[in-house]
Amino acid sequence: MNWKFILRWVITFTVCLVIYNLTASFWMSLGILILLAVAESLVLDWWEKRKGARS
């Protein structure tokens, strides 16, 4: 089994539920989740560039 994939989706689902419960609005939670996804993508890209620069 791919535990990294499963763990990533469990964390993502938990964050989604927490954000939805805090905002109590589907559209606001969707907007926040989109912003988090963009931020995650930028951080991962930055991390890969940094790892590549070290090598």
Side-chain angles (χ1 to χ4, degrees), residues 30-49:
L30 183 64
I32 292 171
L33 289 171
I34 289 171
L35 290 175
L36 284 175
V38 170
E40 179 188 17
S41 175
L42 291 173
V43 167
L44 290 177
D45 287 345
W46 173 79
W47 186 259
E48 288 299 320
K49 286 181 185 175

Side-chain angles (χ1 to χ4, degrees), residues 49-55:
K49 286 181 185 175
R50 187 171 175 204
K51 266 177 54 175
R54 276 192 195 167
S55 300

